[in-house]
Amino acid sequence: MGEVKNLESYAIIGFDGSALKGLKVHPDSEHIVYPMGNKVCIQEWKSKKMYFLSGHTNNVSTIALSPKGTFVGSGQINHIGFKASAKVWDFKKKTMVGSHELHKVRVEALTFTSDERYMISLGGRDDGCVVLWDCVTGSATGTMSAAKLTTGDAMTLAPLSQRGNSFVTGGDSNLRVWNISTGSKNLDVVDVTLGKLRRCVRCIAVSKDDTYGIAGTTTGDMIKFSINYPSDPQASVAPYKPALIGCFAKCGPWKKTKRPESVCYSQGIETIIIMDDGCLIVGGGDGTIDILDEINWKGSFPKGKLLSPNQPNYKALKSTKLDGAITSLELMESAAQQGKNRMLLVGTRTSEIYAINVATFFPILVVTCHRCAINDIAFPHGMSGVFATAGAGDVRVWCLETCQELLRIAVPNFTCSSVLFSADGKSIVTGWNDGNIRAFTPLTGRLIYCIYNTHNKGTSALAMTTDSRTLISGGCEGQVRVWVIRPECQSLKKVLKEHKSPVSAIQVSPNNMEAVSAGTDGSAIIWDLISLSRRQVMYANTLFMCICFEPQGCQLLTGGTDRRIAYWETGSGNLARELEASKVGAINGLHITQNGELFVTGGNDQMVKLWKYQEGIYTHMGLGHAGAVTCTRFSPDARHIVSSCSAGSIIVWKVPEQYIRTAGQTPQKKITSPKTTLKEELALPLQEKPVQKASGDRQLHVPAARGKVEKIEAMDTTRSSVHSCCPCEAPTGRSDDSKKSSASKPGTKCCKPPTDNLPTRTTSKEYVSGGGDKK
């Protein structure tokens, strides 16, 4: 086996918005850093080029950038009972500087001190500790419980700007200011006395001069507290104690002689930025982003309720609202701009990044992707410009060239397990975990039809014949159902009960006569679509996850949890060849090019591999996914591969040049050669050989009609979408013959609808209204 080369990626669509403060802007204002599954992505903002920091074994939960941009810190989630690692990376070299596993289950938050000496990490609710990591010596130097036993968990932390050894933590009923003793490296902590105020702190921002801090709470108001530290960073802070200034909220509508009502953010405050002029940029859990300015009151406050928990002390200067909770807010301003045209980058929990010009405050969608695992990918027949992906809550259509989202079809609270384009391109057919099959228009996303209760445990797989009239669906209860799709109704034709567990994949054979279904019970069954019965069954000691017909229909490829790719003969059901496709984990995605020379696989090892079909070796490997690869697809022109993963990211790969040339040549040979051989095979025996005798020496009956050669040349060899067993159609397929045959049988009805001057059978108004049997 030769050297395995790397697949070149054309574009990557992905962003994990669930991590709080996950989106970071580098101090050079040319790079952004954000999590993508179990990788940390560094992206050049203008060129969109991406670099990945790999090393985490599970999803990245939080990210931090040091103030000068030297280091990147990242922490991960882990399974209950396991340690979660926090890692420090060198930004320029893109290499790991150090790592520690002192937290249990989850790293909740990370930050760097202002002098870049220490990285401070905060554990989640199972851990509750603050760990100090020395970036110079490359080791953890101290750890301490983050909260007192009388209060709840700590959730967030923020460094002080001037003092290199101080930071603030906050959480459920706690707000604390910490100092690192330079000699002993011990942690000294002082609580901000909140009195009777009970708040759960979600985010903290500290002013540039360290005089005060603002803490956003889950109740939608802000705690303002003074830190009271001296301006000299070297001075002792022992006699100084932080103090609560007040709990403030946004002003409601102003009324004369009445105290303005305080307006809280309905789903809490998720992130806060303190700007240089003292204004606040606040991102709420309801998607609201406001620029708030403190009101300078003249005279006394109009009297209000005596025990109001907060004061309306901020007015909104500018406001906008986005879909999804705001999890990250970052200002991007380069040195050349000198504060003009400042950009605000916003990350939302729905995995979208918006760019907002601070002057106009108009949001522009920059990045969007699925927020959960992607279950299926589909291309329209013969069209490589667009593709569709299916995930939790929606189906999305993307442009391949620009990788921009063209259409989003949302079905909230349900998960789409499979998606396909009908061969005529008129519908996107989708299967959902509520057991329904829904078809939508490809341009507008309007619902065309919905087949209710197709499978009682959810629809798991779909396939369709090329005439777009027969739909085969597989369910989680193991049934395969065949549906007749008409514009006026969608009816069940047959229920095929053979599989004992969920059907993971279905594909129709190239000649539309058979369909194969793969089940997680270790069986793959070939069904005859004419007689609607089982034709062949194949068993293996695996859970089949994907299955694919070779373009000629002679062989099948299967992939499953045994990490192997198996070649099967469709006629006999025998195993022809087995290949080890992965060292670890199941094979989830499999697809073959239309010329049958290449196939692509993807699995739990997060790799995409490009294989030669005949040789059974993989020549190229794609690394970049941050989760198990769930689906892989070739574009119809075989120039690109699209793969998706459980982290919600999509990668478009370039097929290597050497294969594109061959992919362009082979279909022409396949199209031209069969026509000549067919003519030779048909013409030679009739011209040169006498009529053969069948068994029993009985001569075959040859009708005395037109000449044999003439008859064969006049025969229409194109495949009709209607069965050739129609008794009322003449073998020649010509109109005069059909008139003769129908005239010769006066009592017979034609089983085909009228197709005179009609583009398609399904659009005929006469056929729909007349039931298809009378004109």
Side-chain angles (χ1 to χ4, degrees), residues 651-700:
I651 302 184
V652 182
W653 309 90
K654 293 178 185 172
V655 173
E657 271 308 312
Q658 68 214 51
Y659 298 132
I660 291 177
R661 285 194 290 273
T662 57
Q665 290 166 2
T666 41
Q668 293 175 359
K669 291 178 186 173
K670 285 188 179 180
I671 291 167
T672 53
S673 56
K675 284 189 178 177
T676 55
T677 54
L678 182 70
K679 196 167 182 180
E680 287 165 9
E681 281 178 14
L682 290 173
L684 282 170
L686 289 169
Q687 283 176 349
E688 298 173 7
K689 293 181 184 179
V691 177
Q692 292 179 353
K693 292 185 178 181
S695 57
D697 292 334
R698 194 162 62 96
Q699 198 168 8
L700 290 170

Side-chain angles (χ1 to χ4, degrees), residues 47-323:
S47 68
K48 303 298 181 198
K49 192 175 181 183
M50 293 182 181
Y51 308 93
F52 292 97
L53 307 178
S54 305
H56 285 286
T57 55
N58 212 319
N59 283 3
V60 175
S61 59
T62 181
I63 280 180
L65 264 174
S66 60
K68 295 172 190 168
T70 314
F71 300 112
V72 178
S74 59
Q76 73 172 54
I77 309 165
N78 216 336
H79 304 290
I80 292 173
F82 291 88
K83 299 275 188 180
S85 65
K87 300 184 187 295
V88 187
W89 313 82
D90 188 298
F91 178 80
K92 286 185 179 174
K93 294 179 183 174
K94 314 281 191 297
T95 56
M96 193 193 300
V97 176
S99 170
H100 72 76
E101 287 194 350
L102 296 173
H103 293 295
K104 294 175 189 170
V105 184
R106 179 187 176 101
V107 181
E108 192 71 44
L110 283 173
T111 193
F112 286 88
T113 52
S114 56
D115 59 358
E116 295 193 341
R117 173 74 192 267
Y118 299 104
M119 180 182 81
I120 306 137
S121 57
L122 178 65
R125 61 170 55 183
D126 298 281
D127 181 70
C129 287
V130 169
V131 173
L132 211 61
W133 173 274
D134 194 326
C135 296
V136 177
T137 61
S139 61
T141 60
T143 178
M144 190 173 170
S145 179
K148 292 191 292 188
L149 293 173
T150 53
T151 60
D153 304 312
M155 291 178 163
T156 184
L157 75 169
L160 269 63
S161 304
Q162 303 295 327
R163 305 187 72 85
N165 54 359
S166 300
F167 61 95
V168 185
T169 65
D172 187 4
S173 303
N174 66 66
L175 193 58
R176 317 180 91 189
V177 181
W178 301 69
N179 282 291
I180 304 162
S181 303
T182 49
S184 61
K185 292 181 183 173
N186 288 335
L187 292 164
D188 303 323
V189 60
V190 185
D191 283 275
V192 179
T193 309
L194 298 177
K196 290 183 177 179
L197 196 66
R198 289 287 173 268
R199 290 288 185 275
C200 185
V201 174
R202 195 85 174 116
C203 55
I204 300 171
V206 180
S207 62
K208 288 279 172 71
D209 55 0
D210 289 348
T211 53
Y212 68 94
I214 303 279
T217 67
T218 53
T219 45
D221 48 17
M222 290 163 278
I223 297 172
K224 188 173 183 181
F225 60 98
S226 65
I227 298 173
N228 280 337
Y229 279 177
S231 55
D232 180 14
Q234 303 302 322
S236 172
V237 295
Y240 299 97
K241 302 284 185 223
L244 176 72
I245 296 174
C247 187
F248 303 119
K250 188 169 64 167
C251 277
W254 182 262
K255 295 172 185 173
K256 268 193 176 181
T257 69
K258 280 190 179 180
R259 178 192 177 109
E261 289 182 4
S262 58
V263 177
C264 294
Y265 293 86
S266 63
Q267 293 180 40
I269 295 173
E270 297 279 337
T271 177
I272 292 179
I273 297 177
I274 300 177
M275 296 170 78
D276 295 338
D277 56 2
C279 289
L280 306 179
I281 303 180
V282 174
D286 58 351
T288 307
I289 303 171
D290 288 335
I291 296 184
L292 302 180
D293 191 13
E294 200 163 353
I295 299 168
N296 296 316
W297 292 101
K298 291 180 181 176
S300 60
F301 236 125
K303 285 188 178 179
K305 293 174 186 174
L306 189 65
L307 292 171
S308 58
N310 51 45
Q311 296 176 2
N313 213 36
Y314 287 93
K315 62 178 179 182
L317 302 179
K318 288 173 183 170
S319 184
T320 187
K321 192 152 194 283
L322 306 176
D323 292 330

Side-chain angles (χ1 to χ4, degrees), residues 429 437 439 449-452 454 462-465 467-473 480-495 529-530 532 721 723 761-762 767 771:
V429 187
I437 294 173
Y449 62 81
C450 178
I451 310 174
Y452 293 99
T454 54
L462 288 177
M464 206 173 204
T465 55
D467 59 2
S468 303
R469 291 181 197 169
T470 305
L471 180 69
I472 303 106
S473 67
V480 175
R481 300 190 172 199
V482 183
W483 305 85
V484 179
I485 305 297
R486 293 196 193 94
E488 67 275 14
C489 74
Q490 300 79 40
S491 55
L492 179 64
K493 198 172 181 184
K494 188 77 181 280
V495 180
L529 292 182
I530 308 300
L532 296 177
S721 59
H723 295 312
R761 181 165 114 171
T762 53
Y767 174 57

